[in-house]
Amino acid sequence: MTFNPADILIPQTDDMTAWSVVACDQYTSEPQYWDEVEKLTKNKPSAYHVVLPELYLEMDGVDERIRKINETMISYCNSGLFKEYKSSYIYIERTQKNGKVRKGIIGAVDLEDYDYNKGSETKIRATEGTVTERIPPRLKVRMDAKLELPHIMLLIDDAKKQVIEKIGENTSSFEKIYDFEMMMDSGSVKGWLIDEKWTAYLETELEKLEDISDFNKKYGVSKNNPLVFAVGDGNHSLATAKEYYNTMKQNGKADENSPARYALCELVNLHDDSLVFEAIHRVVFDIDTDNFMTELEKICTHCDDTNGQVFKIVTSSGEKTLKVKNPSANLTVGSVQNFIDSYILKFGGRVDYIHGEDVVRQLSSDKTSCGILLDAMDKNDLYKTVVLDGALPRKTFSMGDACDKRFYNEARIINPGL
């Protein structure tokens, strides 16, 4: 199977709020957020001590951070912190900051069924372009890690809500294994162990999604292999897990039964009522904004309408609406990203990807930075777009605000020899 039960570790701590922290790829331009997390988790068992926030990837001392992370993982395992749920699935309900509830199932995916390269026809596919340069630093963290903690979210296209939601109607018969408030005003989460009856139901329903005849009819295509699981979040984390597995195989350290062959993740329905595709905006730093605008206006016109590839540009002088004259990609985000990449290559600068409009405006308040505000794509277009066109441009969409991203709750051993 592609999506499988896993040997899931749950910490046995009185302070799960301190244990659970947001995905490491969030708040990369807001060090104050991670400073506060560090204060809240000091001298407490916490996922913060066994993950590396990406804010620190380019900072001095990263090797020492990784060493401490690896030591802490081993210490946590040896101390009896975790309770292991063998060959299990966990059904979760995440109440977001806005009160909406996202339903999901924790399990492990087979990396043999995943290829992040554009044009792949594996059962698991990336929804956005993978930046291969982002894999090596993440791989460095994983290579000597005893544990993995998941912030990967995979999607299924279940418009009738017959899989995850159906299981969620039966939690009264499940064992509840956690229920707590999350730090930093990020809502709450509950988790239940799925019993044998509903485990069998889950696996049967997921098999139905692999039927190639139904798949082709559903999307009006003629393909040989179905797209069953689309990567909704954590694309580079899953790509790193794949490269880790490949490296272990090449070194003769992983066979078909190796824990490295799998990656722990959360399965979510694309049609979950809480799931809203948010735009991911851009801020370009360390530039001359006057020069940036001059170059941008060579490919754009000023406009007041919403037709075509339209976006807002934010500088210290204010905001303007621009339209791409001759798009270089099918989506606005693609054309904008192509421009940013070419500009930085020619003039220098760096780009970061931001989830909130207010944050974009705050970060674009001087003459050395410029923000770009984009509209979100329709989530109902996701599967067919990936099937027809391959992966979308990187950072095309986000599933919710940063505070509603997946938090690290569960863990799994990937390197039992440590």
Side-chain angles (χ1 to χ4, degrees):
M1 295 188 301
T2 301
F3 189 74
N4 303 271
D7 297 338
I8 302 174
L9 303 175
I10 302 295
Q12 305 301 292
T13 172
D14 293 333
D15 192 351
M16 283 294 288
T17 300
W19 167 263
S20 186
V21 299
V22 76
C24 65
D25 59 348
Q26 300 302 303
Y27 302 102
T28 52
S29 294
E30 299 172 76
Q32 65 274 14
Y33 178 92
W34 290 107
D35 289 344
E36 184 63 23
V37 172
E38 185 173 16
K39 293 176 185 176
L40 292 171
T41 61
K42 187 175 182 179
N43 299 322
K44 296 179 180 180
S46 177
Y48 175 74
H49 305 309
V50 289
V51 299
L52 180 63
E54 294 187 2
L55 169 76
Y56 304 124
L57 274 178
E58 304 301 326
M59 292 186 180
D60 292 339
V62 68
D63 289 341
E64 177 62 15
R65 280 183 177 270
I66 293 173
R67 186 188 66 78
K68 287 182 178 179
I69 285 169
N70 293 337
E71 287 182 351
T72 303
M73 285 182 175
I74 294 171
S75 174
Y76 282 174
C77 289
N78 292 342
S79 70
L81 173 64
F82 297 110
K83 179 177 179 179
E84 185 176 50
Y85 292 83
K86 300 287 288 185
S87 191
S88 298
Y89 296 107
I90 295 175
Y91 169 78
I92 67 171
E93 291 184 352
R94 168 71 183 280
T95 300
Q96 300 177 162
K97 184 177 180 179
N98 61 10
K100 293 183 178 180
V101 178
R102 185 179 73 235
K103 304 171 181 68
I105 294 175
I106 305 298
V109 290
D110 187 346
L111 295 170
E112 291 283 1
D113 289 334
Y114 166 63
D115 181 352
Y116 58 78
N117 292 295
K118 187 167 184 174
S120 71
E121 292 196 356
T122 48
K123 294 177 185 176
I124 309 168
R125 299 179 207 172
T127 54
E128 66 175 13
T130 302
V131 184
T132 56
E133 293 83 359
R134 295 180 63 186
I135 296 176
R138 290 156 182 78
L139 187 60
K140 192 173 184 180
V141 177
R142 194 177 181 94
M143 282 305 299
D144 295 315
K146 186 177 183 69
L147 302 172
E148 67 170 358
L149 291 87
H151 76 258
I152 301 160
M153 290 177 62
L154 294 186
L155 303 173
I156 55 172
D157 190 0
D158 177 25
K160 295 182 179 179
K161 300 182 179 179
Q162 291 297 304
V163 185
I164 298 171
E165 290 82 356
K166 192 73 173 179
I167 292 171
E169 295 172 1
N170 294 274
T171 55
S172 60
S173 64
F174 299 166
E175 174 190 351
K176 183 183 284 187
I177 55 178
Y178 55 70
D179 182 354
F180 60 94
E181 297 290 323
M182 291 174 151
M183 66 170 65
M184 307 286 279
D185 194 24
S186 296
S188 61
V189 67
K190 300 176 183 178
W192 293 265
L193 188 67
I194 299 178
D195 64 20
E196 290 184 8
K197 173 185 174 181
W198 289 100
T199 288
Y201 175 85
L202 170 65
E203 293 175 350
T204 298
E205 291 300 310
L206 291 180
E207 283 183 8
K208 292 178 182 178
L209 295 179
E210 298 186 13
D211 185 280
I212 189 61
S213 297
D214 290 345
F215 176 84
N216 284 332
K217 182 178 180 181
K218 183 175 184 177
Y219 299 108
V221 296
S222 180
K223 298 292 184 178
N224 295 321
N225 300 293
L227 165 59
V228 184
F229 305 99
V231 183
D233 223 341
N235 182 60
H236 288 89
S237 291
L238 191 60
T240 300
K242 177 72 171 186
E243 290 307 313
Y244 171 72
Y245 173 49
N246 286 342
T247 301
M248 296 289 279
K249 282 198 299 183
Q250 292 165 6
N251 295 336
K253 296 181 179 179
D255 58 24
E256 63 181 13
N257 298 314
S258 171
R261 177 174 170 169
Y262 300 89
L264 204 60
C265 65
E266 177 182 350
L267 190 66
V268 179
N269 185 7
L270 175 65
H271 302 280
D272 188 289
D273 293 339
S274 74
L275 209 59
V276 177
F277 276 20
E278 304 280 355
I280 301 181
H281 310 295
R282 274 76 171 144
V283 176
V284 186
F285 297 94
D286 304 329
I287 58 170
D288 178 335
T289 55
D290 290 336
N291 180 61
F292 186 86
M293 287 299 301
T294 297
E295 294 298 313
L296 183 59
E297 289 175 347
K298 291 179 181 178
I299 66 163
C300 295
T301 58
H302 294 265
C303 71
D304 296 319
D305 61 54
T306 58
N307 297 317
Q309 293 194 359
V310 176
F311 62 94
K312 286 186 178 180
I313 190 81
V314 183
T315 67
S316 58
S317 301
E319 299 182 18
K320 298 177 181 177
T321 300
L322 299 178
K323 177 189 287 188
V324 181
K325 288 187 285 189
N326 296 299
S328 60
N330 290 327
L331 298 175
T332 307
V333 62
S335 297
V336 169
Q337 190 65 52
N338 289 339
F339 168 78
I340 292 172
D341 291 344
S342 63
Y343 182 90
I344 290 175
L345 185 64
K346 184 176 182 179
F347 296 102
R350 62 184 177 87
V351 61
D352 199 2
Y353 303 93
I354 309 298
H355 294 281
E357 291 190 9
D358 290 343
V359 177
V360 171
R361 293 184 175 98
Q362 292 168 11
L363 294 173
S364 308
S365 58
D366 61 41
K367 295 290 287 184
T368 64
S369 60
C370 183
I372 294 174
L373 298 175
L374 298 158
D375 290 332
M377 72 173 290
D378 185 339
K379 70 178 184 179
N380 294 304
D381 295 334
L382 177 66
Y383 263 66
K384 190 164 186 177
T385 300
V386 173
V387 170
L388 294 176
D389 299 337
L392 303 169
R394 67 184 184 273
K395 299 294 183 181
T396 296
F397 67 90
S398 169
M399 296 191 301
D401 294 332
C403 65
D404 293 324
K405 292 293 183 178
R406 166 149 252 282
F407 272 50
Y408 300 113
N409 301 324
E410 307 81 11
R412 187 179 72 95
I413 292 175
I414 57 171
N415 197 337
L418 295 176

